C-alpha cells in the first residue's frame, strides 16, 4: 500500500475512532482540499475545537522528520495560535499505536523529533480498530 493510501486509511479510521469517542468530527478530504488544507481533521467537544493532522511513521527509531510537516500547515498553525487557539496536534500512527503530539512542543528549526513512546493515546491501534469494525458489523445486522 502506498504512503498516501495508508495515510488516508489512517485518517478515515481515526475519524471513526474520534466520533465513537464522542467528538464532532470534520474530515477535510478529497480533491477539493488536496494539498491545501492546514489539517486533516477538526474535532469539537464541549465547545473546544482541535485541529489534527494525521501522519503514518514507519521509522524504526521513532524519529519524525520535521520536513513531513508542510509549510502551509506550519503557517496555519502559527495563525491558529495567533488567534488565541491552543490545540493543533499531530496524530502519528507508529508501531500500531497512535500518539498525539502538540505542535507547541515541536522545535521547527530542528530536523526531527522523537515520538514519546511512553504516551500513546491508543495502544495497539490495529486490534482496537478490528474490534470496532466487528462491533459496527454486529450493530448493522440488527437493523
Amino acid at each position: 500500500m502506498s504512503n498516501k493510501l495508508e495515510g488516508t486509511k489512517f485518517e478515515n479510521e481515526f475519524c471513526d475512532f474520534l466520533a465513537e469517542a464522542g467528538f464532532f468530527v470534520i474530515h477535510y478530504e478529497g480533491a477539493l482540499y488536496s494539498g491545501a488544507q492546514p489539517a486533516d481533521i477538526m474535532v469539537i467537544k464541549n465547545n473546544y475545537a482541535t485541529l489534527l493532522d494525521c501522519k503514518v511513521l514507519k521509522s524504526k527509531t521513532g524519529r519524525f522528520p520535521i520536513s513531513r510537516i508542510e509549510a502551509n500547515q506550519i503557517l496555519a498553525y502559527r495563525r491558529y495560535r495567533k488567534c488565541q487557539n491552543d490545540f493543533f496536534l499531530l496524530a502519528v500512527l507508529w508501531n500500531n499505536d497512535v500518539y498525539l503530539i502538540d505542535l507547541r512542543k515541536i522545535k521547527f528549526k530542528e530536523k526531527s523529533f522523537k515520538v514519546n513512546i511512553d504516551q500513546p493515546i491508543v495502544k495497539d491501534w490495529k486490534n482496537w480498530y478490528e474490534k470496532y469494525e466487528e462491533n459496527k458489523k454486529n450493530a448493522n445486522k440488527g437493523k
Side-chain angles (χ1 to χ4, degrees):
M1 184 181 301
S2 74
N3 278 350
K4 183 161 179 52
L5 285 175
E6 200 169 332
T8 300
K9 183 177 184 288
F10 172 50
E11 286 175 27
N12 291 326
E13 292 171 352
F14 199 54
C15 283
D16 288 344
F17 167 76
L18 293 165
E20 279 289 306
F23 288 90
F24 178 78
V25 179
I26 301 166
H27 186 193
Y28 300 105
E29 64 179 332
L32 180 64
Y33 300 107
S34 181
Q37 83 273 22
D40 296 319
I41 302 167
M42 178 188 290
V43 294
I44 303 167
K45 190 169 186 177
N46 298 326
N47 291 321
Y48 289 99
T50 301
L51 290 177
L52 294 143
D53 196 64
C54 295
K55 303 287 186 188
V56 176
L57 181 62
K58 293 187 177 182
S59 158
K60 290 182 181 177
T61 64
R63 293 212 63 83
F64 186 91
I66 299 290
S67 62
R68 298 229 3 240
I69 304 171
E70 298 163 28
N72 68 317
Q73 293 170 322
I74 294 170
L75 291 172
Y77 161 69
R78 289 182 177 144
R79 176 71 179 143
Y80 190 73
R81 292 284 296 143
K82 201 179 260 187
C83 294
Q84 306 301 309
N85 297 299
D86 285 330
F87 304 110
F88 197 134
L89 308 171
L90 287 181
V92 178
L93 175 62
W94 181 57
N95 287 341
N96 295 331
D97 295 333
V98 178
Y99 300 83
L100 290 182
I101 292 100
D102 189 332
L103 265 68
R104 293 176 294 184
K105 297 184 180 190
I106 295 174
K107 296 179 178 116
F108 288 102
K109 292 182 180 179
E110 294 182 4
K111 290 191 187 297
S112 66
F113 63 87
K114 179 91 168 132
V115 171
N116 184 351
I117 60 172
D118 297 328
Q119 296 183 353
I121 184 165
V122 182
K123 288 218 38 92
D124 200 8
W125 173 257
K126 293 219 187 283
N127 283 338
W128 172 86
Y129 198 72
E130 286 169 9
K131 288 176 191 165
Y132 166 74
E133 280 295 304
E134 188 177 312
N135 289 341
K136 205 160 81 170
K137 283 178 191 170
N138 290 337
N140 287 335
K141 283 181 186 175
K143 289 183 179 179

